[in-house]
Amino acid sequence: MKHLLSGNEAIARGAYEAGIKICSAYPGTPSTEILENTAQYKDVMYSEWAPNEKVAAEVAYGASVAGSRAMCTMKMVGLNVAADPFFTAGYMGVKGAYIVVSADDPSCHSSQNEQDNRHYAKAAKVACIEPSDSQECKDFVAFAADISEQFDTPVLFRVTTRVCHSKSLVTFGERTEHAPATPYARNTRKYICAPANAYLNHPLVEERLKKLEEYGNTTAVEIGLNKVEMNGKKVGVIASGIAYQYAKEAFPEDTSFLKIGLTYPLPMGLIKDFASKVDKLYIMEELDGFMEEQIKAAGIECVGKELIGNMYELNAELIRERVFGVKNPTVKPDVAPAKRPPALCAGCPHRGFFYTLAQNKNYVVTGDIGCYTLGYAAPLSCMDVCICMGGGFTAGMGMAKAFEAQGVTDKVVFGCMGDSTFFHSGLTGAAEIIYNNGRMIPVVLDNRITGMTGHQENPGTGLTLQGDPAPMLNVEHTLEALGFNPVYVVDPQDLTAMKNTANAAVADLKDGKHPAIVTKRACLLVKRYKFQPSMCTVDRDKCKSCKKCLKTGCPAIAFKDGKAMIDRTQCVGCTVCAQVCPFEAIYKEEK
Amino acid sequence: MADCKSVILVGVGGQGAILISKIMTNGLIKAGLDVKQSEVHGMAQRGGSVSTQVRWGKKVYGPVFGEGDADILVALEKMEALRYAQFLKPDGVAIINDYQMHSTSTATGAEEYPADPIGAMKKCFRTITVDAAKIAIELGNPKCMNVVLFGAMCDSLGVEGIDWEEVVKETVPQKLVELNVKAFRAGREAAKAGK
Ligand SMILES: Cc1ncc(C[n+]2csc(CCOP(=O)(O)OP(=O)(O)O)c2C)c(N)n1
């Protein structure tokens, strides 16, 4: 029987079948569902949410050193965070299989850049594997595990949004266990990254790449990791990942294909042989010309990026258009749709915080990545910079230092981030603020969950990924322990309290203290908090059409026939609009 | 791919397009076809515009397709039909829910909600309209709007030999089978009238 699985579900199944024992991850689109799915096999496989990707990569690496097969997963920017252990693991090698899954996001569907993480495999000199559908996601995990152990290398398992989130049919296999062949024994020569050892490791790494390349030319073809499909002599295509599927669809049936699953190191012997058998050679890959540059450097004539470009996702239609110059006819209606941008949900606790800070034009808000990034958007328009997870505190620190240096005194910097982000990479930033006397106010927007990525547990929520109770790390106590004083805890939905707290913290800062703020209110989509929705209503007689309520950016408020109107299907009765209304025209309905 | 059919389902995050594609893919797999389905997670949930693509045939390669490739466009919200219209083949069919949801920009008056999206679509494509929200409310649960719409689209899929009502029964939660079968039948009837 076949199962319709997303690539992420299939990777989880593949980890199960390949006898992976330890899985660690930090959530991030498009990778999140992998660990949500490995968790279902908790009888034989341990799965956890780590506080961040570096931790996840290190936990999985430790498990490998102890002799167990291990996997960590992350979105592509997560590998930037985990790059340090990733590179050195590349030098030290593994004991149990060590698989690092990087989920890249061409077209930036939910990401801050479009980086192509295959470059990491090349830079760290480790193997890179790219599946192109769900069946391969499952099967290639087992190949990756075998390659990792056979060649003593971490394997970068690189997938992309359309591989992760597309569903296709998968045939299952059985799980095989891979207990360590010998009991654990200390091996300092291999696993201590001291310079003398690193020096000795480098030649082994270079040697390993040669062996891997040979494997790519031979065994990889036998097992179907690399695949030659000779159909004709005129045109040949070398493709990897999802681009293979698009190219299969766009090129004529007599096109020959070399589909590469082991994309680093490239099987140059195989490629040369394939190139010699076709008149014209195309390279089809999404994002950078990762294969193409290496193939061209090897003196093989081919075309690719100059036709299909190195930005955004591909599809068959785009390849047909850019390679063959044929475009599907399309019809466009003569009416254009209005924009429909994402917005903070009705009743989102983040709204009260941003609304309050937006009222003071001297407040500078350095933001971070999470649902609350939407605080930048109109009408709240309350964010100055957002660079990466953890940057909310520290970019704010830099701005505050620069204002000081410039003699600017009227600006007050608030650096904000969510609870999950605080435990991810806010702790070091908080230490920085205390250590270097930051004249800014850190704010943790604690909505009791990792919201943006779809509600994952984190060290502050009291539950593990596998659903077991866990100690609940407390944000305000942590800030106090780091030296912040006073630490205010406030309900951001109470606009008066929110404003008073911001004012008090500003006064503290002027007094030379180190204030911090924790806004605390659970995301209303978290089921275990049993949120009781209610309803706000506009008294049309009292409404003076001042549109102040619209400034909250609540998706439940609209203007109809010149007066405010609340959409009853969306309103949850948070009362932020009612508190904002100067005419008491909005009220909460009695139950 | 001559033997590969493509559908694009569009709407607003939270409208339940996923259930429609689940019913579709369950039926198509039962019929022994190769099936691929693609959706985007993440930002899309926050009241933004969302799209899901489903493809089937003897062999399907790409899980997503480009402009001018869809045989059918299904819109759970009528303005969203305009946003994705260029994905539809000129001779494709649009199935539109006569249902309006404001976006933050139209609710605040920053932009106008287009006056007649369905009329504009009708000028370009063969279009079937159903008021799935009204039907769902009449059946006592506005949430089954998506299954009404599936009923409305199923005969346009052009796949023989699938008992869609059976597939609906197998796909929806046990407790809601009765309601959803009614929703499915009502949608199917409405589509015949709404051509
Ligand atoms: C390095 C890195 N890892 C993961 C992500 C994906 N990501 C974006 S927002 C977010 C969660 C934020 O949660 P939280 O800070 O609690 O804020 P909330 O969304 O709940 O408001 C994650 C994991 C990322 N953007 N960067």
Side-chain angles (χ1 to χ4, degrees):
Chain A
M1 187 192 154
K2 291 196 171 193
H3 304 258
L4 187 70
L5 295 192
S6 70
N8 283 347
E9 291 166 329
I11 292 171
R13 176 71 197 184
Y16 166 79
E17 291 180 9
I20 303 276
K21 278 269 180 223
I22 306 292
C23 304
S24 186
Y26 183 71
T29 316
S31 73
T32 310
E33 300 82 9
I34 303 173
L35 267 263
E36 289 178 334
N37 281 283
T38 58
Q40 68 184 297
Y41 304 108
K42 68 178 182 179
D43 293 343
V44 289
M45 206 158 61
Y46 167 79
S47 299
E48 63 161 37
W49 289 132
N52 70 27
E53 293 86 352
K54 178 175 182 293
V55 174
E58 291 156 350
V59 167
Y61 187 66
S64 159
V65 172
S68 285
R69 290 191 154 189
M71 174 173 87
C72 57
T73 73
M74 57 202 68
K75 75 179 282 156
M76 82 293 201
V77 287
L79 192 51
N80 302 336
V81 179
D84 195 9
F86 180 72
F87 273 73
T88 302
Y91 264 44
M92 303 203 302
V94 309
K95 173 106 169 129
Y98 180 51
I99 301 174
V100 178
V101 179
S102 165
D104 295 9
D105 190 16
S107 284
C108 312
H109 291 287
S110 32
S111 304
Q112 53 269 55
N113 71 34
E114 220 182 3
Q115 69 189 57
D116 184 334
N117 272 7
R118 293 175 299 175
H119 295 295
Y120 267 112
K122 188 160 183 276
K125 301 175 188 281
V126 304
C128 181
I129 286 184
E130 284 183 78
S132 74
D133 63 15
S134 297
Q135 182 72 51
E136 290 184 358
C137 280
K138 184 191 80 78
D139 295 343
F140 286 11
V141 173
F143 294 156
D146 291 343
I147 287 172
S148 177
E149 289 174 0
Q150 185 182 340
F151 294 94
D152 198 5
T153 179
V155 174
L156 182 68
F157 199 87
R158 189 252 188 177
V159 282
T160 53
T161 302
R162 297 300 183 176
V163 173
C164 294
H165 285 170
S166 296
K167 296 191 172 180
S168 56
L169 295 169
V170 178
T171 310
F172 285 0
E174 297 293 320
R175 176 173 168 98
T176 51
E177 292 294 344
H178 292 265
T182 50
Y184 174 74
R186 181 182 281 167
N187 183 351
T188 54
R189 162 64 196 87
K190 184 168 165 60
Y191 296 119
I192 302 293
C193 69
N197 285 335
Y199 189 88
L200 295 175
N201 282 343
H202 192 173
L204 304 178
V205 170
E206 300 298 337
E207 198 52 39
R208 179 177 79 198
L209 283 178
K210 291 207 189 87
K211 289 186 195 151
L212 274 166
E213 183 176 337
E214 199 36 41
Y215 175 92
N217 289 328
T218 53
T219 314
V221 182
E222 285 155 30
I223 63 174
L225 182 54
N226 292 337
K227 220 174 354 188
V228 187
E229 301 166 9
M230 290 309 297
N231 296 316
K233 293 196 152 90
K234 276 208 300 270
V235 177
V237 172
I238 298 179
S240 73
I242 196 74
Y244 164 79
Q245 305 288 354
Y246 301 144
K248 278 296 270 190
E249 200 174 317
F251 279 77
E253 277 192 18
D254 62 352
T255 305
S256 293
F257 277 82
L258 170 55
K259 176 181 179 305
I260 303 189
L262 179 60
T263 47
Y264 195 77
L266 282 177
M268 219 39 101
L270 197 61
I271 291 170
K272 281 189 177 139
D273 184 56
F274 181 76
S276 74
K277 289 181 181 153
V278 294
D279 297 340
K280 176 137 196 178
L281 184 62
Y282 291 91
I283 315 294
M284 292 290 129
E285 56 191 323
E286 260 182 352
L287 296 182
D288 294 340
F290 178 78
M291 298 194 295
E292 186 177 332
E293 281 169 20
Q294 296 177 67
I295 292 168
K296 282 190 168 146
I300 298 164
E301 209 175 302
C302 57
V303 287
K305 286 296 146 187
E306 66 260 50
L307 297 173
I308 59 172
N310 63 354
M311 288 189 287
Y312 313 141
E313 291 187 309
L314 296 172
N315 57 49
E317 160 66 4
L318 288 176
I319 293 179
R320 275 194 293 266
E321 185 184 335
R322 292 173 190 174
V323 175
F324 303 108
V326 287
K327 192 170 161 36
N328 287 338
T330 57
V331 193
K332 222 172 158 50
D334 52 13
V335 175
K339 289 193 213 66
R340 195 184 290 282
L344 293 175
C345 303
C348 174
H350 299 325
R351 177 168 287 107
F353 169 76
F354 287 111
Y355 179 82
T356 303
L357 264 62
Q359 305 313 305
N360 190 324
K361 295 297 161 230
N362 282 323
Y363 289 172
V364 170
V365 181
T366 55
D368 210 298
I369 304 191
C371 290
Y372 48 85
T373 310
L374 291 169
Y376 90 87
L380 292 166
S381 309
C382 187
M383 198 172 287
D384 293 80
V385 55
C386 169
I387 168 147
C388 64
M389 288 190 74
F393 286 179
T394 36
M397 177 75 177
M399 289 190 83
K401 286 287 176 201
F403 288 144
E404 267 181 83
Q406 295 161 12
V408 173
T409 53
D410 56 347
K411 298 285 178 207
V412 182
V413 178
F414 289 79
C416 62
M417 62 178 61
D419 49 321
S420 186
T421 303
F422 177 68
F423 292 115
H424 177 280
S425 46
L427 296 166
T428 41
E432 153 76 8
I433 296 166
I434 292 293
Y435 177 46
N436 288 315
N437 191 25
R439 298 289 82 210
M440 59 163 295
I441 302 165
V443 185
V444 179
L445 307 169
D446 186 1
N447 64 353
R448 316 297 303 119
I449 202 75
T450 315
M452 179 86 248
T453 42
H455 290 168
Q456 290 74 32
E457 306 299 338
N458 69 48
T461 65
L463 281 175
T464 67
L465 167 60
Q466 296 185 156
D468 300 318
M472 203 186 271
L473 271 67
N474 177 297
V475 175
E476 51 276 22
H477 294 171
T478 310
L479 287 166
E480 276 162 10
L482 285 163
F484 289 94
N485 184 22
V487 177
Y488 298 97
V489 180
V490 60
D491 177 356
Q493 216 148 278
D494 179 342
L495 297 188
T496 310
M498 187 64 242
K499 187 176 171 190
N500 291 343
T501 303
N503 289 342
V506 173
D508 292 331
L509 194 68
K510 299 242 149 89
D511 284 349
K513 294 186 200 156
H514 279 295
I517 299 173
V518 181
T519 69
K520 210 175 273 288
R521 178 174 272 276
C523 167
L524 47 87
L525 302 175
V526 183
K527 294 213 173 60
R528 64 173 166 274
Y529 289 110
K530 301 223 170 35
F531 179 78
Q532 289 293 334
S534 51
M535 192 71 65
C536 287
T537 308
V538 179
D539 182 335
R540 286 182 67 86
D541 295 334
K542 287 191 185 165
C543 176
K544 300 274 182 291
S545 313
C546 71
K547 295 198 172 175
K548 225 173 154 198
C549 52
L550 293 182
K551 292 266 188 278
T552 63
C554 178
I557 309 178
F559 246 65
K560 202 175 175 203
D561 307 326
K563 303 261 169 152
M565 190 192 69
I566 290 175
D567 176 354
R568 300 183 68 82
T569 62
Q570 291 194 68
C571 178
V572 294
C574 79
T575 76
V576 165
C577 58
Q579 295 174 63
V580 163
C581 176
F583 305 104
E584 293 180 354
I586 305 179
Y587 62 93
K588 188 164 166 169
E589 293 176 9
E590 295 295 327
K591 274 265 156 75
Chain B
M1 290 291 115
D3 73 332
C4 175
K5 286 259 200 180
S6 303
V7 170
I8 182 164
L9 291 160
V10 304
V12 177
Q15 273 197 298
I18 301 290
L19 180 64
I20 298 184
S21 60
K22 203 158 174 195
I23 299 169
M24 265 177 78
T25 52
N26 281 351
L28 295 163
I29 293 167
K30 264 178 99 174
L33 292 157
D34 189 20
V35 180
K36 287 193 178 175
Q37 184 233 316
S38 195
E39 70 218 19
V40 168
H41 307 201
M43 288 300 271
Q45 293 169 358
R46 307 284 172 272
S49 151
V50 293
S51 75
T52 302
Q53 302 191 354
V54 181
R55 315 187 78 190
W56 68 93
K58 272 216 275 309
K59 169 81 192 155
V60 182
Y61 289 107
V64 289
F65 50 83
E67 300 190 348
D69 266 333
D71 299 282
I72 305 170
L73 177 148
V74 181
L76 284 93
E77 198 280 347
K78 56 188 176 184
M79 181 169 80
E80 295 310 309
L82 296 175
R83 197 181 314 285
Y84 295 93
Q86 71 278 14
F87 281 88
L88 196 51
K89 290 177 181 166
D91 60 351
V93 54
I95 297 157
I96 307 178
N97 187 9
D98 190 355
Y99 180 67
Q100 168 175 342
M101 277 177 86
H102 274 291
S103 73
T104 42
S105 87
T106 60
T108 56
E111 271 185 285
E112 287 282 320
Y113 190 96
D116 182 15
I118 293 178
M121 287 295 287
K122 277 189 172 158
K123 277 196 238 158
C124 305
F125 305 100
R126 192 155 70 80
T127 301
I128 299 173
T129 338
V130 286
D131 190 340
K134 188 164 145 235
I135 294 172
I137 290 167
E138 278 166 13
L139 292 171
N141 189 338
K143 288 233 162 78
C144 68
M145 183 164 84
N146 49 1
V147 178
V148 174
L149 213 62
F150 175 74
M153 68 184 275
C154 71
D155 289 316
S156 298
L157 297 177
V159 197
E160 306 274 295
I162 301 180
D163 183 347
W164 284 115
E165 187 167 314
E166 218 23 63
V167 182
V168 169
K169 281 187 198 162
E170 287 164 15
T171 310
V172 302
Q174 205 60 47
K175 287 187 299 196
L176 298 172
V177 168
E178 205 181 319
L179 170 73
N180 280 307
V181 167
K182 279 191 206 151
F184 169 76
R185 287 182 188 162
R188 203 171 197 174
E189 283 310 308
K192 286 179 188 147
K195 271 183 191 167

